[in-house]
Amino acid sequence: MALPAPGRPGRTPLVIGLRGACGYRPEHTLASYELAARMGADFIEPDLVPTRDGVLVARHENDITATTDVAERPELADRRTTRLIDGREVTGWFTEDLTLAELRTLRAVERLPQVRPGSTAYDGQFAVPTFEEVLELRERLSSELGREVGVYPETKHPSYFAGLGLSTDEPLVAALEAHGLNRPDAPVFVQSFETTNLVDLVGRLGLRTPTIFLMEAAGSPFDAVAAGDGERTYAWFGTGAGLRDLAAAGISGIGPDLSLVIARRADGSMGADTGLVPRAHEAGLAVHPWTFRAENTFLYADFRSGDDPAAHGDLAGQVAAFLEAGVDGFFTDHPDVGAAAVEAWSTTG
Ligand code: G3P
Ligand code: CA
């Protein structure tokens, strides 16, 4: 896929349905992905983790305590454990401790019931999908909607899973290959918070799609931490030198936290444009920030409406500010609002 060229006119920033349309359905379910596509998302975004038998499934985290009903299953009570993931102790139930057959007995639940009480009506209805099922859904929806619905998989905790002998990278490339999607012009971006596995995916494993390096607002990628590399912080990757380094490594773009593009002041209001977008474009990198969510609790203060943290504010207004800053696409929990914002921005420019 040709990366979107920065700058108006004629540019159409990409709407990426984060975990599907997780503002409306429990995240990472086929129902969530399908709704995202029907709402106008250009891409659906599965986060990928492995089961104990090495099958890629879609969950935001390998800890599935908050996104499934596993805690209510007495037959799996003994699987609750504590694991050290990217330097942090986490207690719960983990996909790498369950076979696919065991995982498939579970049902997804809404992760944010306080903020999204409407989605709890779907608790217990949907299984945890495999990546294979997501790709099959993508094909069906592309055919039905008469347009390519893209897929934007994220390899979660790549150093951690490689250390367990459960790397997500080989099965990811195999799945893309099997579906005819391992090509530069496929509607696919592969994303990671670490550069090591992105470079390995392209260099050793033969991934041919564009790749996106995700950037947290602070801290360092865990592959750099594990290597004792104190220099390669997320902040450094946002400098001209860091961005050029990414481009030289064959990485196609960045996926930064919103505040790395437009600062968020201490009071939550919108601050200055950081200049990250033009710096990235100068290096030849696309910019796809995350995450645009409609609820007041997640919005910059300028775009909130009323005092209810769960009420929706002016997400379209916030999206428009980032489109003006030049982003090439964006991750959103509410793809309907995102698509409408892009439409309005594209036609009024
Ligand atoms: O993948 C982009 C954005 O989603 C950031 O990652 O998975 O922590 O939400 P995640
Ligand atoms: Ca993600």
Side-chain angles (χ1 to χ4, degrees):
M1 153 174 287
L3 290 171
R8 293 208 218 183
R11 188 169 69 94
T12 307
L14 301 174
V15 178
I16 306 152
L18 188 99
R19 314 176 199 176
C22 69
Y24 305 106
R25 296 288 186 278
E27 66 189 35
H28 291 309
T29 58
L30 293 180
S32 181
Y33 298 131
E34 177 159 353
L35 184 60
R38 293 191 185 285
M39 285 180 158
D42 299 295
F43 284 75
I44 53 176
E45 192 240 2
D47 294 319
L48 298 179
V49 291
T51 62
R52 195 173 86 192
D53 39 354
V55 180
L56 294 184
V57 295
R59 286 289 89 189
H60 179 240
E61 285 293 333
N62 48 327
D63 175 6
I64 54 172
T65 310
T67 62
T68 70
D69 58 1
V70 65
E72 296 163 24
R73 301 302 182 99
E75 70 277 16
L76 295 173
D78 64 344
R79 309 295 174 84
R80 187 171 185 270
T81 190
T82 298
R83 288 187 165 272
L84 186 64
I85 302 166
D86 297 355
R88 196 169 64 89
E89 281 197 347
V90 183
T91 298
W93 284 263
F94 299 89
T95 58
E96 62 267 35
D97 295 324
L98 275 65
T99 63
L100 178 64
E102 289 170 330
L103 190 74
R104 297 288 274 184
T105 67
L106 305 179
R107 289 295 174 269
V109 299
E110 171 53 45
R111 185 176 61 92
L112 301 171
Q114 303 300 321
V115 182
R116 294 169 176 165
S119 290
T120 62
Y122 301 95
D123 284 0
Q125 293 191 21
F126 309 123
V128 173
T130 63
F131 185 43
E132 177 65 23
E133 288 175 321
V134 177
L135 293 176
E136 289 168 2
L137 175 69
R138 185 207 79 81
E139 284 168 8
R140 175 170 70 78
L141 290 171
S142 297
S143 171
E144 190 179 326
L145 297 175
R147 64 178 172 89
E148 285 284 2
V149 176
V151 64
Y152 205 126
E154 178 183 344
T155 55
K156 303 295 291 197
H157 308 299
S159 293
Y160 168 79
F161 283 121
L164 295 181
L166 281 173
S167 170
T168 55
D169 296 346
E170 289 85 351
L172 169 64
V173 175
L176 293 175
E177 192 75 54
H179 284 264
L181 292 172
N182 189 25
R183 48 189 172 81
D185 62 343
V188 177
F189 290 93
V190 172
Q191 46 169 335
S192 174
F193 277 105
E194 300 181 14
T195 56
T196 302
N197 83 305
L198 289 181
V199 170
D200 191 51
L201 273 161
V202 173
R204 186 176 66 86
L205 297 175
L207 179 71
R208 300 182 66 215
T209 73
T211 53
I212 299 291
F213 174 57
L214 300 170
M215 297 167 64
E216 298 271 15
S220 297
F222 188 70
D223 55 340
V225 173
D229 182 346
E231 307 263 309
R232 295 162 77 84
T233 63
Y234 286 116
W236 178 78
F237 277 111
T239 66
L243 294 162
R244 287 191 295 276
D245 188 89
L246 291 171
I251 289 166
S252 317
I254 56 173
D257 180 276
L258 296 182
S259 65
L260 294 175
V261 175
I262 300 179
R264 196 187 286 253
R265 296 194 187 101
D267 66 358
S269 64
M270 192 167 260
D273 185 322
T274 66
L276 177 62
V277 173
R279 281 199 302 281
H281 287 168
E282 179 69 24
L285 300 172
V287 183
H288 298 166
W290 47 273
T291 296
F292 290 88
R293 299 180 158 126
E295 294 90 353
N296 282 327
T297 192
F298 301 117
L299 289 166
Y300 283 67
D302 319 60
F303 300 97
R304 293 176 194 151
S305 177
D307 296 327
D308 178 358
H312 286 200
D314 181 16
L315 176 61
Q318 183 173 301
V319 169
F322 280 77
L323 294 177
E324 281 302 314
V327 303
D328 305 288
F330 57 94
F331 295 84
T332 179
D333 293 4
H334 298 88
D336 52 343
V337 181
V342 168
E343 175 69 18
W345 181 83
S346 301
T347 53
T348 60

